[in-house]
Amino acid sequence: MLIFNCYVSFIPAIMKMDTFTDLIQELESSLPEWPARDVAELLLSSNTKQFQSHQYLSDRQAALAHVLLSEKVIRLEGMPWQQQGVVLAPDGSTVALRSLVDTVVCGWKAKCDVKKLKNDTRDVEPSKDTGPSQEPHSHTMCRISLPSVLGLHFASLKDSLQVPLYVPDGCWDSTTNPKTFQLHGAPSITDLTLANFNGVLDGALLREMMIINETQKMSDLLHSYYGGIPARSPYRRQNFQALLEKGELGDAIGKAIECYKKQYPGSGLPNMTEEELKETTAAAAKQFEQQYLDCPAVIPRCQWGAKPYKGTPTLLSFPLQHIYIHHTYEPSRPCLSFKDCSADMRSMQRFHQEDRGWDDIGYSFVVGSDGYLYEGRGWLWVGAHTKGHNSIGYGVSFIGNFMASVPEDPILSLVRDRFLSCAVVSGYITSNYTVQGHRQVVKTSCPGDALFQKISAWKNFKES
């Protein structure tokens, strides 16, 4: 049980996006005239040390806001790294709420008057106000922005650009009753995590939605963004890219670095000419886009509820040369949500392990029609997808029967335009890789007549 100063004791929350949305709805009921952005700013200010909760929030609501918005990366003795202040969204992704709310209020490019740029000081500075300003948003203290945190990551710029951007993901203790989120590895020096990036991108897109419709309630925006069938949130990377103008991210990183150097003159950041700074920040932005924005999001095994591999997996020796496209046939219907796609993954793994006697689900990756790829055997393990070819290529299967129909264009694009190029950049497949349908190397109707016709027009498709 957690006890906060001047708050009632509070049982740790179920860390789902629905918990956050329910809190928003409560606030909207008591503050019906407030626009969505003001409600977001109220939550931001409620996490400051001098905020008096009785003005706008009950003690229970203030305690809940504290739990949801106090974003920290911690490690208890003998335990893996954990990230607090993150929630499980209905689409299966994990979102840092403080990053989301910061961006809703302040945008993804913070101004140079933000006081706390160092990421080792996590809490916002105390506001002089006890609630939202009479002039909305004029006193809100936002934390570090996306360009700032990327700039700090590349603080030793020339060296850092040679090393892949490290952004750990993680998994929940439960997808039905999530309370603890464990990272897959130690955080970087700036504590960048996938949940932070998800929060920033979601906040930027929600902010755009608020600009288009200023009267829409924030709870309605959250429901429509995360809760649709399919949801909008799985496309956060593509949609955020659509907001960017050419060179905009690099310019913003450069301004953030210059801002940081002015505020912390003894920081040790290298001196560069204007041209050197421009070239370096453009390269940093390109690396971020290639490693993160251009790549499709992948739901990890632990998130969809995979059982352990039976025995010891055989490691692949990459880069590989081939991509083999499949359809599942059964399940025959495309899945449109994280819940349904996860159930399909568990069903396929159970069939492969129990009925066929394989060590694990056979595919390397599986494509849902919800906008996500799902990790099967993944990048590192030899699969059981294309007999006689498992050690030389990855097997990618679309959930559904595609003899007569094909997946929607955004789902095809997820593999054709993002997965394949990302695999090349990441070093998992060669730049001259070949794409083939399962039927071209094994006697089968897979991946279905209609889907096979589609992939026949893909770049690097190889005739039999």
Side-chain angles (χ1 to χ4, degrees), residues 239-310:
N239 292 337
F240 181 76
Q241 279 182 306
L243 294 179
L244 296 177
E245 297 179 5
K246 185 177 181 180
E248 183 178 17
L249 182 57
D251 291 343
I253 293 174
K255 290 177 182 178
I257 291 174
E258 289 296 292
C259 170
Y260 185 84
K261 288 170 68 175
K262 289 178 182 177
Q263 294 193 352
Y264 302 97
S267 63
L269 294 183
N271 291 320
M272 289 181 288
T273 66
E274 183 176 341
E275 187 61 29
E276 288 174 332
L277 178 65
K278 185 175 182 180
E279 290 179 1
T280 305
T281 54
K286 182 179 179 180
Q287 187 186 116
F288 173 67
E289 290 198 56
Q290 285 184 335
Q291 286 186 229
Y292 178 69
L293 295 182
D294 288 346
C295 290
V298 178
I299 301 293
R301 292 170 60 89
C302 57
Q303 199 78 337
W304 57 261
K307 290 183 179 179
Y309 190 101
K310 291 183 177 180

Side-chain angles (χ1 to χ4, degrees), residues 37-57:
R37 192 175 166 199
D38 282 3
V39 173
E41 186 174 1
L42 170 62
L43 288 170
L44 211 55
S45 62
S46 73
N47 219 36
T48 61
K49 296 176 182 177
Q50 295 183 358
F51 179 78
Q52 296 179 13
S53 64
H54 65 269
Q55 282 193 297
Y56 300 100
L57 280 73

Side-chain angles (χ1 to χ4, degrees), residues 36-110:
R37 192 175 166 199
D38 282 3
V39 173
E41 186 174 1
L42 170 62
L43 288 170
L44 211 55
S45 62
S46 73
N47 219 36
T48 61
K49 296 176 182 177
Q50 295 183 358
F51 179 78
Q52 296 179 13
S53 64
H54 65 269
Q55 282 193 297
Y56 300 100
L57 280 73
S58 69
D59 284 347
R60 181 192 62 80
Q61 291 171 334
L64 180 57
H66 183 89
V67 170
L68 294 174
L69 296 176
S70 293
E71 187 181 299
K72 297 178 182 178
V73 176
I74 64 169
R75 188 177 189 181
L76 304 177
E77 186 175 355
M79 298 290 289
W81 287 94
Q82 298 179 7
Q83 187 171 9
Q84 299 178 339
V86 297
V87 296
L88 176 63
D91 69 344
S93 64
T94 299
V95 179
L97 285 179
R98 183 56 192 274
S99 298
L100 183 152
V101 178
D102 272 346
T103 310
V104 163
V105 174
C106 301
W108 65 270
K109 295 184 292 185

Side-chain angles (χ1 to χ4, degrees), residues 65-250:
H66 183 89
V67 170
L68 294 174
L69 296 176
S70 293
E71 187 181 299
K72 297 178 182 178
V73 176
I74 64 169
R75 188 177 189 181
L76 304 177
E77 186 175 355
M79 298 290 289
W81 287 94
Q82 298 179 7
Q83 187 171 9
Q84 299 178 339
V86 297
V87 296
L88 176 63
D91 69 344
S93 64
T94 299
V95 179
L97 285 179
R98 183 56 192 274
S99 298
L100 183 152
V101 178
D102 272 346
T103 310
V104 163
V105 174
C106 301
W108 65 270
K109 295 184 292 185
K111 296 179 180 178
C112 198
D113 59 1
V114 176
K115 301 302 181 185
K116 288 203 170 185
L117 285 172
K118 287 187 176 180
N119 216 34
D120 57 355
T121 50
R122 307 232 168 262
D123 296 329
V124 294
E125 292 190 352
S127 170
K128 295 180 181 179
D129 302 310
T130 56
S133 165
Q134 293 301 312
E135 297 179 15
H137 325 301
S138 60
H139 296 288
T140 301
M141 296 302 298
C142 291
R143 298 186 320 162
I144 194 163
S145 66
L146 176 63
S148 299
V149 78
L150 289 174
L152 290 181
H153 175 83
F154 295 109
S156 55
L157 292 165
K158 293 183 180 178
D159 292 335
S160 295
L161 288 171
Q162 308 306 315
V163 179
L165 182 64
Y166 176 58
V167 186
D169 194 7
C171 269
W172 290 93
D173 54 344
S174 166
T175 55
T176 55
N177 192 31
K179 294 180 180 178
T180 303
F181 185 71
Q182 290 188 351
L183 295 174
H184 288 156
S188 66
I189 192 170
T190 49
D191 283 0
L192 288 175
T193 70
L194 190 61
N196 293 123
F197 285 153
N198 288 342
V200 171
L201 269 56
D202 289 351
L205 295 169
L206 287 166
R207 181 183 172 95
E208 290 296 312
M209 293 165 67
M210 291 176 185
I211 293 173
I212 294 172
N213 186 352
E214 295 181 356
T215 63
Q216 192 168 11
K217 295 295 185 183
M218 189 172 182
S219 60
D220 293 335
L221 288 171
L222 292 170
H223 280 305
S224 66
Y225 183 74
Y226 292 107
I229 303 293
R232 300 186 194 184
S233 45
Y235 300 97
R236 55 173 64 85
R237 301 184 188 197
Q238 299 95 308
N239 292 337
F240 181 76
Q241 279 182 306
L243 294 179
L244 296 177
E245 297 179 5
K246 185 177 181 180
E248 183 178 17
L249 182 57

